[in-house]
Amino acid sequence: MADTKYIFVTGGVSSSLGKGIIAASLAKLLQSRGYKTTIQKLDPYINIDPGTLNPYEHGECFVTEDGAETDLDLGHYERFLNVNTSQANNVTTGRIYQSVIEKERRGEFLGKTVQVVPHITNEIKRRIQLLGQNGDYDIVITEIGGTVGDIESLPYIESVRQLKWELGDHNSLVIHLTLVPYLSAAKELKTKPTQHSVKTLMESGISADILVCRTEHELSEDLRQKLAQFCNVKQEAVIQSIDASTIYDVPNLMLEEGLDTITLKKLNLPNDSQPDLTNWNKFVNRHKNPKSEVTIGLIGKYVELQDSYKSILESFIHAGAENEVKVNIKSIHSEFINTEGKDEISALDGILVAPGFGERGIEGKIEAVKYARENNLPFFGICLGMQMAVIEYARNVLKIEDANSTEMEEQTKNPVIDIMESQKNITQMGGTMRLGAWDCELKEGSLVQKTYGKTTISERHRHRYEYNNKYKEQLEAAGMLSSGINKQTGLVEVVELPNHPWFIGVQYHPEYKSTVKTPHPLFIGFVKAAKDYAKKKKK
């Protein structure tokens, strides 16, 4: 009998149906009943991690406290559960094969032929059970990326089949998320894609225990009965997941459908308490009933794909609810600011200059910073956004016209932003940046210290280039305060302008730590500043 119960979430028919949100919502319901719950993501791509992927390929790269570069779904897990994830919560095919090949090179397989079964599947099963073996969790939910039938996912599906058999009755279950499309010409919902998806899963030796059906229209009892009959599940285990106005509605929708109830029943776990969603629903109520609105410009170079800045967008939702304000995000591509973006910026209540890599769109970001600085528009710069603020100030206030970052211009004579010493001899790109949580000391009485309400903080990093301390004295003399310092390295983590209503740039990524329960103070402060700015504009 296993001490930890395992739930596997698979997907069919189409990608991007929201497995991560369903997994996080179920975890939230189980957590609110008192069960210690975590979620992990198995990604079938061969990259070791998403750290070297372009955001257009896979959305943002989420960074954990221990410095793992992971799938963006881990951000959802943390935002819903308010529990930190780690390296163990995200596994890729690349990492699985790397581990197995390293073992083979060390001779650990005693000369045996290394095969997908059992060697790859054994490694997958080991990774799945890592979180359950430390005694911290009652339930581990494992989301399997991709869709059933994908060639890349087959080893994961086979591993789940083996693990279900090994764990024994009532110790695991499979939730299959599928699509029930609506054909407008026929004016009816069609179940055949779901039937085929479940059949494909069964061909791999797995029967779905629970069906979660994504739909734009209500599922009738007749249709649920049909799905149950042809997909070989109980009718009570056919769960409707209808389109919601916000992802934060999904836990309540799943509660209404009884997803947590049927899950506990199938896992043979006590169902003697009701989920306590009091605080969650207070947040949802504030989010859906704002008292005012602000418009924030998100200045970035991956703005065509919303998932590129997923954590930032969600952080604005958390901070908006805290301020009882609706935050409208205006995405502005930094490549086009020089030609057409300034008019857009003038209509905003604040701008956030987003993180990124490479030289494309840099001059537009610098122009946006300049406008915010000169017009007292609330400004928030994150990572590259902070670096652009330093470059803009050096160029336009210190009059160092060729000030730049060595990331953009390797031979620049005035590198106000420079590559870290520890990074100069690195040749491999993956997993080699400054990553994970680092402490920072905040200057007493500074805006950032007042915003946090404390002088020592810990924030997550993901970058190679830093504020160059050789220019610190000049910049500070000209009015740019270095208000956050990493004591371990002596590097500047935060800059601000004391003579500006709200102008803060941070080297780290505060968006990774904002959750429903604990919205990030910097986002709260920035949204409040934008709210005050909007009020002044109306007068």
Side-chain angles (χ1 to χ4, degrees):
M1 169 83 177
D3 292 326
T4 303
K5 308 284 187 174
Y6 293 87
I7 298 170
F8 303 100
V9 181
T10 60
V13 181
S14 171
S15 59
S16 301
L17 289 181
K19 291 193 298 293
I21 299 300
I22 292 297
S25 298
L26 174 58
K28 185 69 205 172
L29 294 177
L30 295 171
Q31 182 194 58
S32 64
R33 284 176 177 267
Y35 290 102
K36 292 177 290 182
T37 310
T38 190
I39 321 176
Q40 64 182 171
K41 174 79 180 284
L42 306 184
D43 271 312
Y45 52 75
I46 299 174
N47 303 65
I48 298 297
D49 58 44
T52 56
L53 287 174
N54 187 305
Y56 288 135
E57 286 284 319
H58 204 68
E60 80 168 6
C61 174
F62 185 82
V63 177
T64 59
E65 284 284 292
D66 63 351
E69 294 177 289
T70 69
D71 184 81
L72 62 81
D73 273 330
L74 269 71
H76 288 310
Y77 307 161
E78 290 201 8
R79 286 187 283 273
F80 274 54
L81 299 180
N82 202 52
V83 173
N84 288 336
T85 54
S86 68
Q87 183 74 68
N89 291 77
N90 193 198
V91 179
T92 67
T93 294
R95 199 171 288 282
I96 294 291
Y97 272 82
Q98 183 186 49
S99 178
V100 170
I101 290 167
E102 285 172 353
K103 287 178 182 178
E104 185 273 333
R105 292 288 82 189
R106 292 195 297 268
E108 290 186 25
F109 298 124
L110 305 176
K112 294 279 188 184
T113 303
V114 179
Q115 297 174 285
V116 174
V117 180
H119 301 99
I120 297 299
T121 52
N122 282 350
E123 180 64 17
I124 292 170
K125 288 187 292 182
R126 185 183 76 81
R127 297 291 183 117
I128 288 171
Q129 294 178 94
L130 272 179
L131 288 165
Q133 288 169 345
N134 60 17
D136 291 340
Y137 302 107
D138 303 313
I139 300 168
V140 175
I141 300 176
T142 303
E143 176 194 346
I144 297 174
T147 51
V148 169
D150 293 347
I151 193 167
E152 296 96 338
S153 299
L154 289 174
Y156 293 106
I157 298 298
E158 169 59 18
S159 300
V160 171
R161 184 198 67 77
Q162 292 179 23
L163 204 48
K164 274 181 68 68
W165 182 79
E166 291 168 14
L167 289 168
D169 294 342
H170 305 298
N171 290 319
S172 68
L173 62 83
V174 173
I175 297 173
H176 190 55
L177 178 64
T178 182
L179 177 68
V180 179
Y182 180 77
L183 296 186
S184 53
K187 291 185 170 55
E188 63 176 332
L189 291 160
K190 306 301 289 185
T191 64
K192 196 62 71 177
T194 295
Q195 292 178 47
H196 281 297
S197 181
V198 170
K199 184 180 177 183
T200 302
L201 191 61
M202 292 177 79
E203 285 171 357
S204 299
I206 297 175
S207 294
D209 298 289
I210 299 171
L211 270 186
V212 177
C213 303
R214 290 284 286 112
T215 176
E216 296 175 1
H217 299 271
E218 296 280 344
L219 301 182
S220 67
E221 285 305 309
D222 287 346
L223 198 137
R224 289 180 192 241
Q225 197 275 330
K226 182 180 179 181
L227 281 166
Q229 183 178 3
F230 286 99
C231 296
N232 204 33
V233 298
K234 301 276 188 188
Q235 189 167 336
E236 64 181 357
V238 177
I239 304 295
Q240 168 185 285
S241 176
I242 200 161
D243 289 356
S245 60
T246 167
I247 59 171
Y248 299 107
D249 276 336
V250 179
N252 283 309
L253 293 174
M254 292 301 99
L255 178 63
E256 289 172 20
E257 286 289 307
L259 177 58
D260 56 328
T261 304
I262 186 69
T263 295
L264 292 173
K265 182 178 178 182
K266 286 184 175 291
L267 291 175
N268 205 21
L269 288 170
N271 180 18
D272 49 13
S273 63
Q274 281 300 307
D276 182 4
L277 294 174
T278 307
N279 290 330
W280 181 274
N281 288 328
K282 282 179 184 175
F283 156 76
V284 173
N285 187 54
R286 287 197 305 268
H287 170 46
K288 296 174 83 170
N289 298 284
K291 293 178 180 176
S292 58
E293 295 188 20
V294 296
T295 302
I296 303 289
L298 177 60
I299 316 290
K301 51 187 180 178
Y302 312 112
V303 294
E304 298 92 337
L305 183 67
Q306 277 208 327
D307 278 356
S308 301
Y309 303 112
K310 194 65 180 171
S311 291
I312 289 174
L313 297 175
E314 298 306 315
S315 297
F316 275 126
I317 289 174
H318 308 154
E322 191 73 13
N323 282 286
E324 296 185 287
V325 60
K326 180 183 179 184
V327 180
N328 299 308
I329 300 297
K330 174 84 171 171
S331 295
I332 301 174
H333 203 300
S334 58
E335 270 195 288
F336 308 121
I337 284 177
N338 286 331
T339 54
E340 60 197 47
K342 283 188 181 176
D343 290 340
E344 287 183 293
I345 293 173
S346 65
L348 301 171
D349 302 313
I351 65 165
L352 183 145
V353 177
F357 295 92
E359 63 182 328
R360 184 172 64 89
I362 290 307
E363 294 304 321
K365 288 190 174 187
I366 291 170
E367 284 296 317
V369 175
K370 183 183 179 186
Y371 183 92
R373 179 178 61 79
E374 293 180 341
N375 293 276
N376 285 332
L377 181 67
F379 166 82
F380 190 11
I382 295 178
C383 201
L384 184 66
M386 173 265 208
Q387 296 173 3
M388 294 304 100
V390 175
I391 292 171
E392 189 280 327
Y393 207 77
R395 285 184 186 179
N396 298 314
V397 178
L398 288 178
K399 302 302 179 185
I400 307 174
E401 292 179 5
D402 60 347
N404 214 328
S405 165
T406 48
E407 181 180 7
M408 320 311 163
E409 189 184 339
E410 200 171 333
Q411 303 304 321
T412 180
K413 291 178 181 176
N414 283 290
V416 293
I417 304 296
D418 200 4
I419 194 164
M420 298 157 58
E421 273 304 316
S422 60
Q423 296 282 319
K424 286 185 176 176
N425 297 318
I426 285 174
T427 54
Q428 293 198 350
M429 301 301 285
T432 54
M433 288 184 272
R434 178 144 76 107
L435 292 164
W438 291 68
D439 289 340
C440 177
E441 293 294 320
L442 304 180
K443 192 174 183 68
E444 191 74 56
S446 64
L447 176 59
V448 71
Q449 185 268 320
K450 290 173 185 172
T451 303
Y452 274 97
K454 54 187 175 181
T455 53
T456 303
I457 59 167
S458 173
E459 293 283 2
R460 301 179 195 177
H461 290 248
R462 183 176 183 251
H463 57 93
R464 297 182 194 282
Y465 294 82
E466 298 273 5
Y467 179 110
N468 188 343
N469 279 341
K470 290 176 183 175
Y471 294 86
K472 183 180 173 187
E473 195 175 318
Q474 283 176 270
L475 287 162
E476 290 209 308
M480 177 169 269
L481 178 66
S482 304
S483 53
I485 306 288
N486 177 274
K487 290 288 187 185
Q488 187 179 338
T489 61
L491 293 166
V492 174
E493 307 271 81
V494 187
V495 296
E496 62 181 72
L497 297 180
N499 59 353
H500 190 286
W502 212 95
F503 189 108
I504 291 178
V506 296
Q507 180 62 81
Y508 47 80
H509 288 262
E511 71 273 21
Y512 293 148
K513 294 188 77 165
S514 185
T515 71
V516 168
K517 186 177 180 182
T518 56
H520 198 283
L522 285 179
F523 279 90
I524 294 171
F526 178 54
V527 170
K528 183 182 183 305
K531 182 177 167 185
D532 294 342
Y533 183 87
K535 274 184 190 173
K536 280 183 184 176
K537 270 200 315 188
K538 286 179 181 176
K539 286 180 180 177

